[in-house]
Amino acid sequence: MLDRDTASLRPVPDRSLTSYRCDFAWLGTSTEVERDVLIDVDGERIIRIAAATADRQAADAALALHGLTIPGMANCHSHAFHRAIRGRTQRGVGSFWTWREAMYEVAATLDPDSYHDLATATYAEMALAGITAVGEFHYLHHQRDGTPYADGNAMGAALVDAAREAGLRITLLDACYLHGGIGVRPDATQRRFSDGDAHRWAERADGIATARHAKVGAAIHSVRAVDPDSMAVVAEWAHARETSLHAHVSEQPAENEACLAAHDCTPVELFHRSAALDERFTAVHATHLTDGDVALLGAASCTCCCCPTTERDLADGIAPTRSLRDAGARLSLGSDSHAVIDLLEEARAVELDERLASGQRGTHDAAALLAAATHVGHASIGWPDAGRIEVGAVADLVTVRLDSVRLAGASADHLVEHVVFAGTAADVDHVVAGGRVVVRDGRHVTIDVPASLARSVTATIDLRSPR
Amino acid sequence: MLDRDTASLRPVPDRSLTSYRCDFAWLGTSTEVERDVLIDVDGERIIRIAAATADRQAADAALALHGLTIPGMANCHSHAFHRAIRGRTQRGVGSFWTWREAMYEVAATLDPDSYHDLATATYAEMALAGITAVGEFHYLHHQRDGTPYADGNAMGAALVDAAREAGLRITLLDACYLHGGIGVRPDATQRRFSDGDAHRWAERADGIATARHAKVGAAIHSVRAVDPDSMAVVAEWAHARETSLHAHVSEQPAENEACLAAHDCTPVELFHRSAALDERFTAVHATHLTDGDVALLGAASCTCCCCPTTERDLADGIAPTRSLRDAGARLSLGSDSHAVIDLLEEARAVELDERLASGQRGTHDAAALLAAATHVGHASIGWPDAGRIEVGAVADLVTVRLDSVRLAGASADHLVEHVVFAGTAADVDHVVAGGRVVVRDGRHVTIDVPASLARSVTATIDLRSPR
């Protein structure tokens, strides 16, 4: 319990000091919450956390945050443009692969301006859901015919700008995407994904401008799109820069089969051979794994990014999250295709789908699920000092109101469980990201998000022409 | 398309006539929606459905429903008191069976007054989610020590009153519950569930007062709680009264194993032997089935009530919904334990969990899922003239607003898919149930639902003492 005035940093002169008083706060240890907590923020950092009773004068002057305040959430796997096909891929019988055709129709239409508008609205929807940093797995690099834009990173820059406007931090996980399948040339849509070879990918990635709110990481699209030699180049690039490296791993059985046929090993084994696996590596969709794959990911302390609402939607399957955790891997979360954007739903889905697979309850408790949504996620996209409510951390504070019908009746002793297992994005009421208020009373402070979504999604869909 | 003034009924003199003008309405055929639809309601019935352009004067005077209007949804499997343990059973490792211990702690506390309050708040939460009728699977019949209340149906009457106050119709599925397991006496909590034998159950059930908004159906709790001879009595009672008969079927493998050991057959086969299976039978949790079970349920045109959010929560497993449908069974939905109350989430979960199990997308399309949530569900709890927007049907109109971040960007040609796969209870904005407005602008017209939930849940939990 918080019965002390914790160690505090001194405010920096001439910086804005804001105090928040939280009805309840989850400080990241177990499933306990603290009551009546004062959090002082100087600029973008938390400088003091104290019991409100320890400084009544400051507490009275503080801005009240009613509900449960948790750290900002990290959406570690996003393809922002997929937001445009929400609701539009649910007709007819199909598979992951037929869904991809619909997704490619949109991928073919975007340019830096239209992608900027769509991503701004999508990231603003994320902000409303309590997401304060996004890992954007980005491969829409070039013009539709595959030739680079005048600024080779125009599309990436549009995403970085979009995140700034929406009030989020971004890690641009710039993806190397060279082939249309193992030994297959990129098709008409995939041409805009490809830099030709891994060295040209690396040159372009070196040119991306970072910013206070924006970092760059690397991504290997998949074993389908990147050959082993190129993988090694990307991994080496990421290691040299001490930055995050993400990859789609084993989302569908078909990619495992293709990898076995071509390389006589699983995708995880191929990443291992390419020296990709370490504590900065995130395996996205670590779904169809062998025991050996699990052991490799665990031994290297990799993070496994679960995207369960997408993995349900795309008929991918259920990741072996219990085995991964037991082997030493960490879990993070992503809304991926944005079929829905709700990290509380993603968090509980990790445990609920494990229950479906195992018949057991309680593999991942609410604190572990919230850790995946917050500090583990932030660390996996290169923000190790975010996603925690502690002195010195980036000031991301997400307040979930407790007076909705979903959360009414929750008591302090089960608040974290109640929020994780029954709360939704609609219950997020107030969001501070990097010290700035982004959401107030459930509304984005600068963007009319539904109107922006409607406008940018419609514009994107209207431009679409079937491939 | 609705290009005609459909057949209309004449208004009854001296009854209140209300006209609604819907931006979009789903009239229950395919995934198409109609634009700008006028719906006239006289008393509790729909008397006309027309294109607004066909009667501009009426359209101009009508009450505007902005969004997509669908029929009222039926929550076909509810244990209202479980709402009190939302968020309170998610700590520690366990199973369905350890969860049941926590549930029994609450079951032990309630009396007619406290259950009335809790159920009123829970049903009002349902109303806010667009639910206009509930099938309450009711077995909390007697006093804590097992002796009947002075009015033997005091608890059931409390539920019927609660539904009326919340503005819903109710089918009290009065459950026969005699044993604590096959050949086992009821334990301390279960005593209040038992009438002693099936004939005394039937006598009591015959005494339940129905009402305009309330019907009575029968329920066999499970093969654990009801022996085959007693099952036959309950089934005969339901057949004689031409009323719904529901039963928990195969929620957990353990009950199948116990049934096989005791009766040398599966639960479904036992229900079949007891002449329970027909088109008025609903199998709740038709989860762990043999091919023979599927064939029996299909051949008898039974309804199978899926409760996927509960079946995830309780680690039950995934029902074979594709096989059941192909065999001739119908699907309905229930929120059961009320871990969440959101029939749109239940609807998509049927398809999404099928995708996890099969690796295929598109087994149940959005129209089929919405049929399960509406007219199939209503029929399975004895309201065959509800859950449809058609002339002569009960006037249940649920309007989902399309300007939330979840639904922004939806277009008319994919509206049903967008709402079913991305909408939530939080998007339900207006509800008419049986001709009466129950929810307006997302708020219940007579009940402060969060406050009622907080009060009644807290009162219930405070009374609880560990068994």
Side-chain angles (χ1 to χ4, degrees), chain B residues 81-126:
Chain B
F81 71 95
H82 292 193
R83 176 60 180 85
I85 56 169
R86 179 183 295 177
R88 291 185 167 82
T89 68
Q90 305 292 356
R91 200 167 288 173
V93 174
S95 67
F96 172 90
W97 308 100
T98 54
W99 166 85
R100 198 177 71 158
E101 296 298 306
M103 182 268 279
Y104 276 7
E105 288 178 16
V106 169
T109 69
L110 294 160
D111 64 24
D113 284 345
S114 59
Y115 203 7
H116 171 269
D117 292 349
L118 178 58
T120 302
T122 303
Y123 293 158
E125 181 177 352
M126 291 184 196

Side-chain angles (χ1 to χ4, degrees), chain B residues 137 174-177 201 218-223 225-227 230-232 234-235 245-249 271 274 276 281:
Chain B
F137 196 108
D174 194 285
C176 183
Y177 193 121
W201 168 85
I220 295 166
H221 181 276
S222 60
V223 297
V226 183
D227 57 89
S230 301
M231 264 182 204
V234 178
L245 173 61
H246 287 222
H248 292 130
V249 172
F271 289 117
S274 305
F281 182 81

Side-chain angles (χ1 to χ4, degrees), chain B residues 187-325:
Chain B
D187 72 13
T189 302
Q190 292 163 339
R191 277 184 308 192
R192 69 182 315 193
F193 309 163
S194 174
D195 293 293
D197 65 48
H199 296 288
R200 277 185 280 177
W201 168 85
E203 264 174 56
R204 186 182 50 67
D206 272 328
I208 301 169
T210 59
R212 195 166 186 79
H213 78 291
K215 299 193 189 228
V216 175
I220 295 166
H221 181 276
S222 60
V223 297
R224 291 176 273 128
V226 183
D227 57 89
D229 289 346
S230 301
M231 264 182 204
V233 173
V234 178
E236 176 50 36
W237 185 94
H239 296 328
R241 284 153 191 78
E242 296 185 348
T243 187
S244 313
L245 173 61
H246 287 222
H248 292 130
V249 172
S250 287
E251 183 167 11
Q252 283 282 325
E255 67 192 310
N256 281 20
E257 291 156 18
C259 189
L260 277 164
H263 304 298
D264 201 29
C265 68
T266 66
V268 169
E269 287 165 351
L270 200 62
F271 289 117
H272 173 63
R273 288 187 200 169
S274 305
L277 305 190
D278 64 12
E279 73 289 350
R280 289 203 192 84
F281 182 81
T282 292
V284 183
H285 309 306
T287 305
H288 299 284
L289 303 185
T290 64
D291 291 348
D293 293 341
V294 170
L296 282 173
L297 292 167
S301 299
C302 299
T303 302
C304 295
C305 183
C306 303
C307 308
T309 69
T310 294
E311 287 151 6
R312 289 170 179 167
D313 192 334
L314 301 186
D316 289 338
I318 299 173
T321 53
R322 181 206 297 249
S323 304
L324 285 166
R325 180 204 60 186

Side-chain angles (χ1 to χ4, degrees), chain A residues 31 83 86-96 99 125 128 311-315 317-318 339-340 345 352-353 355-356 359-362 403 405-406 408-411 413-414 417-418 421-422 426 449-450 453-454 457, chain B residues 31 83 86-96 99 125 128 311-315 317-318 339-340 345 352-353 355-356 359-362 403 405-406 408-411 413-414 417-418 421-422 426 449-450 453-454 457:
Chain A
T31 53
R83 176 62 180 81
R86 178 182 295 177
R88 291 186 168 82
T89 68
Q90 305 292 355
R91 199 167 289 174
V93 174
S95 66
F96 172 90
W99 166 84
E125 181 177 353
L128 288 171
E311 289 152 4
R312 289 170 178 167
D313 192 334
L314 302 187
I318 299 173
V340 299
E345 175 72 17
L352 295 178
D353 287 354
R355 292 183 192 183
L356 286 178
Q360 288 294 310
R361 307 175 84 236
D403 60 352
V405 289
R406 291 168 288 281
S411 56
D413 55 339
H414 288 89
E417 284 90 349
H418 208 126
F421 284 94
V449 188
L453 282 167
V457 166
Chain B
T31 53
R83 176 60 180 85
R86 179 183 295 177
R88 291 185 167 82
T89 68
Q90 305 292 356
R91 200 167 288 173
V93 174
S95 67
F96 172 90
W99 166 85
E125 181 177 352
L128 287 170
E311 287 151 6
R312 289 170 179 167
D313 192 334
L314 301 186
I318 299 173
V340 299
E345 174 73 16
L352 296 178
D353 287 356
R355 292 183 191 181
L356 286 178
Q360 288 294 310
R361 308 175 84 237
D403 61 352
V405 289
R406 291 168 288 282
S411 55
D413 55 338
H414 288 88
E417 284 90 350
H418 209 128
F421 284 94
V449 187
L453 281 166
V457 166

Side-chain angles (χ1 to χ4, degrees), chain A residues 89-114:
Chain A
T89 68
Q90 305 292 355
R91 199 167 289 174
V93 174
S95 66
F96 172 90
W97 307 102
T98 54
W99 166 84
R100 199 179 69 158
E101 296 298 307
M103 182 267 279
Y104 275 7
E105 289 178 16
V106 169
T109 69
L110 293 160
D111 64 25
D113 285 345
S114 58

Side-chain angles (χ1 to χ4, degrees), chain B residues 319-408:
Chain B
T321 53
R322 181 206 297 249
S323 304
L324 285 166
R325 180 204 60 186
D326 291 348
R330 288 165 291 185
L331 303 181
S332 65
L333 303 172
S335 69
D336 189 2
S337 68
H338 313 313
V340 299
I341 294 179
D342 187 340
L343 279 215
L344 295 173
E345 174 73 16
E346 304 291 346
R348 64 176 161 264
V350 169
E351 164 65 12
L352 296 178
D353 287 356
E354 173 66 32
R355 292 183 191 181
L356 286 178
S358 70
Q360 288 294 310
R361 308 175 84 237
T363 297
H364 308 288
D365 73 10
L369 298 170
L370 218 40
T374 58
H375 62 85
V376 177
H378 277 93
S380 83
I381 57 172
W383 305 92
D385 53 350
R388 303 170 184 275
I389 298 181
E390 60 184 39
V391 172
V394 174
D396 288 0
L397 303 173
V398 170
T399 306
V400 179
R401 60 189 292 177
L402 303 174
D403 61 352
S404 75
V405 289
R406 291 168 288 282
L407 299 176

Side-chain angles (χ1 to χ4, degrees), chain A residues 252-290:
Chain A
Q252 283 282 325
E255 66 191 310
N256 281 20
E257 291 157 18
C259 189
L260 278 165
H263 304 298
D264 200 29
C265 68
T266 66
V268 169
E269 287 165 352
L270 199 62
F271 289 118
H272 173 64
R273 288 187 199 168
S274 305
L277 306 189
D278 64 12
E279 72 289 350
R280 289 203 193 84
F281 182 80
T282 292
V284 182
H285 309 306
T287 306
H288 299 284
L289 302 185
T290 64

